[in-house]
Amino acid sequence: MMGLTVALDAMGGDFGPQVTVPAAVQALLHSPELKLILFGDLSAITAQLTLLNKLNHPRLSIVHCDSVIANETRPSQALRHSKGSSMRMALDAVASGQADACVSAGNTGALMALSRYVLKQLPGVERPALISAIPNRGEHPTWLLDLGANVSCDADTLFQFAVMGSVLAEQSLGEKPRVALLNIGEEEIKGNDLVKRCAEMLIQSPDINYVGYVEGHQLYSDKADVIVCDGFVGNVSLKTSEGVANLFIERIKHAIGRNPIRRIIAKWLFSELFDGLQQLNPDQYNGASLLGLRGIVVKSHGSADTVAFANAISEAVYEVKRQIPNKISDRLEEVLLERHY
C-alpha cells in the first residue's frame, strides 16, 4: 500500500503538544502506511516525544514554527499575521503537495479562513462546510453539516452542502444516502424561505435522495443519513447534544457511585446500556471535515484528549484514501450541468 502523509498543527487546541504528540504516536501504530509531519515549537514537541521514547520515529518528522494562532485571534487577523504559524505552515504543506491532509485543533474561524486562502475552494463551491458523524439508532452514523463554518447561508449554499455531505456519506454506506433538511417541523409549510427554497432544489435534483425535513429531536432517529442546516443551527445542535450526552453519563456514574459492589452489579445488569453510553461519547466522533476545499482539512475539538485527536487523524487518513475532494468535485460538476440544462 502506498504511503500517505498528514500534516499536524501540533500547537493547536487547549493542550497543544501534550495531546497532539501522543495522539500522533497512537495514529502511527494504527496505520503502518502513515507518515506524520508535526508543525510547532521544536523544543515542546521534542520533549513530548522524549517522554514517549519516540524521538527518532522513522515515520514522524518535525518542522519548527515560530508562532501559534491563538483561540481568540479573529480570522482577519489570522490571515494577515499567519506566516510562520503552525496552522499556516501545516496548510502550506498540503497546498505544496508535501502532505495529503491537515489536522488542527486550533481556532476554527482562523482554520476556515486560512484553508480558503491557502487551498482555495473546489469549482462550484461558494463556502466550505464543517461536517461530522453523529450516532443514531441504526447501524451507520448520520452526517451533520454545517457545524459552524458558516453562520448564515442562502438556499444555494445549503444545496451545495447537501451534495458534498451526500458524497462523503456515500463512501461509507456504499449507496446513495438519505438527505434531509433540519427544520422546525416536518410539514412542507414549516420553516423559513431559504429552507423551503433549498427543499425545492433538492426535490428537483435526481442526484440527491431527498427525504424531507427532520426536527431537532430526530437528529439521532436514523431517519436520514445526511442532515443539512446552516452553521449557527448546526453548531448549537451539536454542542447541545454533546452536553446532554455528557450530563447523562455523569448522572449514571454518580448514581453508581464509588461503591465497588454497586459497580459490579450495575455492570452485570446494564452492560448493554454502558456500551450504548460509550457510543454517545463525543470523543468517538471527533474530527469535523472542511468539505469543499481543494485539499483535506480536519478540525478537531479544541478540548480533545489523545484518543479524540487520534480519531481526527484517522478521519483525515480515511478521506485521503477515498479521495473525497475529487469525488465532490466530480459530483458537483454533474449536478451543476443538470441544473444548467
Side-chain angles (χ1 to χ4, degrees):
M1 182 180 294
M2 293 182 61
L4 59 89
T5 303
V6 175
L8 300 185
D9 171 12
M11 309 305 292
D14 297 343
F15 309 106
Q18 294 180 11
V19 161
T20 58
V21 174
V25 171
Q26 189 176 112
L28 290 172
L29 291 173
H30 292 298
S31 301
E33 76 279 21
L34 176 63
K35 295 180 181 179
L36 294 174
I37 308 174
L38 275 58
F39 291 83
D41 182 81
L42 179 62
S43 60
I45 295 172
T46 300
Q48 290 298 317
L49 287 173
T50 301
L51 288 174
L52 297 167
N53 196 29
K54 298 292 182 181
L55 186 57
N56 298 311
H57 197 290
R59 290 186 284 122
L60 191 152
S61 58
I62 306 170
V63 175
H64 176 72
C65 304
D66 292 323
S67 62
V68 179
I69 295 176
N71 289 333
E72 63 273 12
T73 302
R74 294 181 179 179
S76 57
Q77 293 176 316
L79 283 171
R80 290 195 299 269
H81 307 292
S82 64
K83 287 188 177 180
S85 68
S86 55
M87 183 185 292
R88 171 65 183 272
M89 292 183 70
L91 289 169
D92 284 340
V94 178
S96 67
Q98 184 183 6
D100 301 297
C102 168
V103 179
S104 175
N107 183 320
T108 302
L111 184 64
M112 172 70 166
L114 286 172
S115 296
R116 293 179 67 178
Y117 176 74
V118 174
L119 299 176
K120 313 302 180 188
Q121 283 126 244
L122 292 168
V125 175
E126 294 180 15
R127 301 179 185 179
L130 272 172
I131 185 172
S132 184
I134 59 175
N136 62 36
R137 295 173 182 170
E139 296 180 0
H140 302 282
T142 294
W143 283 263
L144 179 65
L145 77 164
D146 177 28
L147 298 178
N150 307 279
V151 174
S152 61
C153 306
D154 58 22
D156 286 320
T157 303
L158 290 178
F159 178 81
Q160 292 169 15
F161 292 172
V163 174
M164 295 191 295
S166 182
V167 171
L168 181 62
E170 189 175 327
Q171 300 309 303
S172 291
L173 300 176
E175 58 186 17
K176 191 172 289 187
R178 300 161 296 164
V179 177
L181 288 170
L182 185 58
N183 202 357
I184 59 173
E186 294 185 74
E187 300 84 0
E188 292 183 9
I189 61 171
K190 294 290 182 70
N192 55 35
D193 290 339
L194 73 90
V195 171
K196 292 178 182 177
R197 173 59 184 148
C198 183
E200 293 174 0
M201 297 165 65
L202 291 171
I203 290 171
Q204 295 169 6
S205 176
D207 285 289
I208 302 294
N209 180 20
Y210 179 61
V211 295
Y213 297 141
V214 295
E215 298 182 60
H217 71 278
Q218 296 173 314
L219 282 175
Y220 306 93
S221 67
D222 193 30
K223 182 177 179 180
D225 303 303
V226 178
I227 298 177
V228 179
C229 59
D230 66 45
F232 185 91
V233 172
N235 190 273
V236 171
S237 298
L238 183 66
K239 289 183 177 178
T240 300
S241 299
E242 290 176 350
V244 172
N246 286 328
L247 174 63
F248 190 52
I249 292 171
E250 288 174 6
R251 288 291 177 87
I252 291 292
K253 289 180 178 179
H254 179 74
I256 295 173
R258 296 184 178 180
N259 186 303
I261 297 178
R262 188 182 298 177
R263 291 174 67 90
I264 292 172
I265 294 174
K267 188 174 182 180
W268 175 58
L269 290 175
F270 306 114
S271 59
E272 291 186 7
L273 172 62
F274 291 142
D275 290 340
L277 287 175
Q278 183 59 33
Q279 293 178 11
L280 295 177
N281 186 342
D283 289 347
Q284 298 290 324
Y285 299 89
N286 183 49
S289 305
L290 264 175
L291 296 185
L293 298 166
R294 297 175 185 263
I296 295 168
V297 178
V298 175
K299 171 68 175 70
S300 165
H301 283 303
S303 60
D305 61 12
T306 298
V307 173
F309 195 82
N311 286 338
I313 299 173
S314 297
E315 176 61 27
V317 170
Y318 172 82
E319 292 188 25
V320 171
K321 290 180 178 179
R322 295 284 179 150
Q323 298 183 321
I324 297 300
N326 291 340
K327 287 183 168 64
I328 288 175
S329 182
D330 292 343
R331 183 68 57 81
L332 279 170
E333 185 177 358
E334 294 173 7
V335 171
L336 291 175
L337 281 174
E338 287 171 355
R339 290 185 63 195
H340 182 73
Y341 293 105

